[in-house]
């Protein structure tokens, strides 16, 4: 779908996110024919360099971070869209030049790919210099605060210069193909929604397992931990999409209103419903304390939670969430386990009897529904559980690498002016309001996270979180 003519300014254009995600993402959209002929992408950062030098920097970044299957033959043409302005976020240098580069009458988007401490300075200078107006859009990244108070401050800072409908808060999980598919599966089919409640769903598991550790970003991570880094944002968004009521329309505020209701309905967590872990002294030598360069760190690199949603639909159905670094496999999935039929007419007493819907988010996107059937053959009526397995890549004939990356999609949504996949300020604040007490309770104590080996499925304690409820985690593989 073509988008309107635009000028996109990337503050922090020489940084890691711009190199890894934003520039390669824009290039892929260019190859897909989605970047209009006169669109400008203007890098802005402190480094003094000219357009030419920035184009070379972008070329190197795209070469390094483009996907394996990407066609690199159009880089030169793409680079013609790029420009650069050296700018001082806290001073006056560069702002007049930036203003002279921006064209009137096209979509203006400003991507704040910088530390949150600079959001206020940049917003103010954009406004003071008459560069941004009430039609401009700004894009901000996580971390959006580190607790409720700082998130409120950030929201208030941005609100001084921009209205809520101009602010695009990125949670890149919302840009993932299958995450959006959650809404399609739930609300475009009759099959699941009638069963989607505590009467028929036994429990839900949400797993985001990673194989990477925190080496290289240990300092940032050690001040954050899995709850701030993954649960408050990405996992919370997944939980909302799985648990929310049907919005009346696929419209930004209708969707975000429903997500907000889920967050507000979360019960406060009991200390016994959370397990924190840290990868330690593993056979392969990896150790969180070394990676974090903090021998006393109590920061969790793994967390598992049992969450209850106190509303009519979900009371009685727990949601178990877990995420961690240095686990056995990189896999993100949501498993909805339905209740067993109330009565079995077959003689089998101990066979598996529950249907499970597994929604695989990554690495291979797809869905898997387990159903019971009769075991083929003359052996009488014996039941077996079989998967109805669907890989989206196979089913749709697309090869996985053709799926747009989350950032590509989200940046194009900004240009289109569609906020559905972005977090609203009140959602972010509600999520912090729920996680703050969990973090405060931990910080007030002196307990240490449970150790686990790199390459495992996390600490033993996390298994017990489900065992005590007579349930089991689905294996991480
Ligand atoms: C980021 C976190 O937001 O998400 C990282 O800061 C994490 O710690 C990453 O590794 C996971 O994203 P993805 O897309 O690789 O699942």
């Amino acid at each position: 779908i073509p988008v309107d003519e635009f000028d996109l300014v990337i503050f922090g254009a020489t940084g890691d996110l711009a190199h890894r995600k934003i520039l390669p993402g824009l290039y892929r959209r260019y190859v897909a024919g989605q970047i209009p002929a006169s669109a400008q992408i203007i890098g802005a950062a402190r480094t003094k360099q000219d357009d030419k030098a920035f184009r070379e920097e972008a070329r190197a970044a795209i070469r390094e971070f483009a996907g394996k299957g990407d066609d690199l033959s159009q880089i030169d043409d793409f680079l013609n869209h790029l420009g650069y302005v050296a700018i001082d976020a806290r001073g006056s240098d560069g702002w007049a030049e930036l203003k002279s580069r921006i064209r009137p009458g096209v979509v203006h988007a400003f991507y704040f790919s910088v530390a949150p401490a600079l959001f206020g300075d940049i917003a103010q200078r954009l406004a003071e210099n008459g560069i941004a107006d009430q039609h401009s859009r700004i894009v901000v990244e996580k971390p959006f605060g580190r607790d409720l108070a700082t998130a409120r401050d950030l929201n208030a800072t941005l609100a001084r210069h921009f209205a809520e409908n101009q602010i695009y808060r990125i949670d890149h999980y919302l840009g993932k193909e299958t995450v959006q598919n959650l809404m399609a599966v739930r609300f475009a089919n009759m099959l699941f929604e009638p069963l989607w409640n505590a009467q028929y769903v036994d429990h839900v598991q949400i797993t985001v397992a990673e194989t990477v550790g925190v080496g290289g970003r240990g300092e940032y991570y050690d001040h954050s931990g899995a709850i701030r880094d993954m649960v408050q944002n990405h996992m919370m968004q997944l939980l909302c999409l799985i648990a929310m009521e049907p919005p009346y329309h696929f419209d930004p505020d209708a969707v975000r209103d429903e997500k907000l209701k889920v967050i507000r309905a979360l019960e406060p967590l009991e200390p016994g419903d959370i397990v924190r872990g840290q990868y330690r002294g593993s056979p392969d030598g990896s150790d969180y304390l070394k990676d974090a360069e903090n021998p006393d760190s109590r920061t969790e690199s793994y967390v598992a939670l049992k969450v209850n949603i106190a509303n009519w639909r979900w009371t009685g159905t727990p949601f178990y969430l877990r995420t961690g670094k240095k686990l056995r496999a990189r896999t993100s999935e949501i498993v909805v386990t339905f209740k067993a039929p109330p009565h079995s007419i077959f003689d089998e007493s101990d066979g598996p009897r529950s249907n499970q819907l597994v929604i695989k988010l990554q690495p291979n996107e797809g869905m898997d529904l387990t159903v019971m059937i009769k075991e083929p053959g003359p052996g009488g009526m014996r039941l077996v559980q079989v998967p109805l397995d669907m890989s989206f890549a196979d089913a749709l004939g697309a090869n996985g690498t053709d799926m747009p990356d989350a950032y590509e999609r989200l940046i194009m949504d900004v240009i289109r002016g569609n906020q559905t996949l972005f977090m609203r300020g009140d959602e972010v604040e509600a999520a912090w309001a729920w996680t703050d007490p969990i973090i405060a309770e931990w910080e007030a104590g002196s307990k240490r996270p449970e150790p686990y080996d790199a390459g495992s499925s996390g600490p033993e304690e996390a298994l017990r979180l489900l065992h005590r409820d007579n349930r089991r985690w689905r294996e991480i593989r």
Side-chain angles (χ1 to χ4, degrees):
I1 316 167
V3 298
D4 291 338
E5 281 293 344
F6 67 85
D7 287 350
L8 167 67
V9 178
I10 307 169
F11 293 102
T14 54
D16 194 54
L17 182 73
H19 284 180
R20 275 176 194 278
K21 296 289 183 185
I22 305 176
L23 292 167
L26 285 163
Y27 173 66
R28 293 187 70 188
R29 289 296 91 206
Y30 179 79
V31 174
Q34 225 182 16
I35 304 284
S38 72
Q40 295 194 89
I41 296 161
I42 302 172
R46 212 159 42 181
T47 310
K48 298 230 181 311
Q49 62 178 351
D50 57 11
D51 289 351
K52 195 159 163 267
F54 179 61
R55 288 177 182 173
E56 289 315 309
E57 178 179 330
R59 182 198 302 281
I62 294 166
R63 285 228 171 103
E64 183 173 356
F65 296 111
K68 280 198 197 84
D70 280 346
D71 161 17
L72 294 179
S73 66
Q74 300 182 43
I75 295 193
D76 280 331
D77 299 331
F78 170 72
L79 294 179
N80 288 331
H81 289 270
L82 266 56
Y84 185 84
V85 177
I87 218 152
D88 179 359
R90 294 206 154 123
S92 55
D93 287 358
W95 294 96
E97 192 194 338
L98 182 60
K99 181 171 179 162
S100 72
R101 296 258 194 135
I102 304 275
R103 299 168 298 160
V106 301
V107 171
H108 296 158
F110 301 94
Y111 200 128
F112 291 21
S113 179
V114 296
L118 292 177
F119 287 1
D121 294 297
I122 295 178
Q124 189 185 337
R125 280 166 183 75
L126 283 173
E128 269 172 14
N129 289 284
I131 302 173
D133 60 19
Q134 75 274 25
H135 302 296
S136 309
R137 295 162 199 167
I138 61 166
V139 186
V140 296
E141 274 287 333
K142 70 170 273 245
F144 200 84
R146 56 177 281 108
D147 52 22
L148 178 57
T150 48
R152 275 196 181 135
D153 281 352
L154 273 182
N155 277 334
T157 302
L158 295 177
R160 276 201 280 281
H161 304 286
F162 298 96
E164 182 62 36
N165 66 8
Q166 298 180 271
I167 305 173
Y168 292 71
R169 294 178 195 76
I170 288 202
D171 182 313
H172 79 280
Y173 266 58
L174 289 177
K176 289 184 191 273
E177 188 72 20
T178 326
V179 175
Q180 293 171 67
N181 229 329
L182 282 177
M183 283 187 277
V185 166
R186 286 194 56 197
F187 305 131
N189 294 290
M190 198 54 204
L191 203 54
F192 303 112
E193 201 49 28
L195 305 180
W196 213 257
N197 56 53
Q199 196 180 345
Y200 296 106
V201 176
D202 179 73
H203 74 284
V204 177
Q205 298 182 13
I206 305 180
T207 298
V208 177
E210 299 185 272
T211 51
V212 292
V214 304
R217 60 204 280 264
E219 204 193 320
Y220 154 77
Y221 192 90
D222 203 43
H223 286 101
S224 171
I227 296 183
R228 286 194 173 98
D229 187 53
M230 295 295 290
V231 175
Q232 185 273 344
N233 38 66
H234 309 322
M235 308 276 294
M236 186 73 79
Q237 291 295 325
L238 298 179
L239 175 66
C240 286
L241 295 179
I242 278 287
M244 71 184 184
E245 296 300 315
Y248 70 88
H249 192 246
F250 190 60
D251 156 275
D253 278 325
V255 171
R256 298 185 299 176
D257 286 346
E258 296 308 334
K259 288 197 294 170
L260 180 62
K261 288 185 206 161
V262 174
I263 305 176
R264 294 209 168 131
L266 296 178
E267 276 182 6
L269 217 63
E270 298 291 332
D273 288 340
I274 174 162
V275 175
R276 291 172 170 81
Q278 239 180 19
Y279 58 91
R280 297 289 310 283
S282 312
D284 73 351
S286 35
D287 194 319
Y288 178 83
L289 299 182
K290 274 193 253 156
D291 289 351
E293 295 177 35
N294 175 3
D296 298 321
S297 174
R298 294 172 60 233
T299 302
E300 75 284 355
S301 60
Y302 173 101
V303 67
L305 319 161
K306 177 181 177 184
V307 177
N308 293 311
I309 303 175
N311 64 17
W312 272 52
R313 188 189 279 261
W314 291 120
T315 292
T317 296
F319 288 70
Y320 300 95
L321 276 48
R322 66 179 162 166
T323 180
K325 306 282 185 199
K326 285 273 180 193
L327 295 177
R328 179 178 301 152
R330 176 172 188 258
T331 177
S332 301
E333 58 186 26
I334 299 173
V335 183
V336 180
T337 302
F338 293 90
K339 292 191 171 162
H343 164 73
S344 173
I345 63 168
F346 304 107
D347 287 338
E348 288 195 34
S349 52
D350 52 6
R353 292 168 56 209
S354 303
N355 301 111
Q356 272 194 336
L357 176 67
V358 182
I359 303 163
K360 302 176 201 162
L361 308 178
Q362 55 194 25
N364 302 314
E365 308 179 306
M367 280 193 342
D368 190 343
L369 180 66
T370 59
V371 290
M372 301 300 294
I373 60 162
K374 176 188 169 300
E375 191 175 62
M381 186 51 114
R382 294 174 58 86
L383 301 181
V384 283
Q385 194 171 34
V386 294
L388 292 177
D389 192 351
M390 188 179 82
S391 142
F392 292 159
D394 292 348
L396 304 174
N399 109 28
T401 57
D402 287 344
M403 296 262 197
D405 173 77
Y407 277 91
E408 294 174 54
R409 176 188 319 272
L410 294 175
I411 296 170
M412 287 298 121
D413 276 0
V414 174
I415 306 298
R416 283 194 204 97
N418 185 343
Q419 287 188 303
T420 310
L421 300 177
F422 296 83
M423 292 180 299
R424 212 166 52 190
D426 51 4
E427 257 183 274
V428 178
E429 290 184 13
W432 281 122
W434 185 72
T435 46
D436 269 5
I438 305 174
I439 296 170
E441 196 268 340
W442 176 254
E443 285 177 351
S446 57
K447 237 181 119 184
R448 305 200 66 83
E450 307 288 330
Y452 64 93
D453 279 352
S456 71
S457 338
E460 288 290 312
E461 275 301 307
L463 303 182
R464 284 198 274 279
L465 194 65
L466 270 75
H467 283 174
R468 62 175 196 193
D469 297 341
N470 283 323
R471 298 183 174 114
R472 270 191 308 153
W473 289 109
R474 190 175 135 94
E475 210 182 305
I476 295 178
R477 55 190 156 191

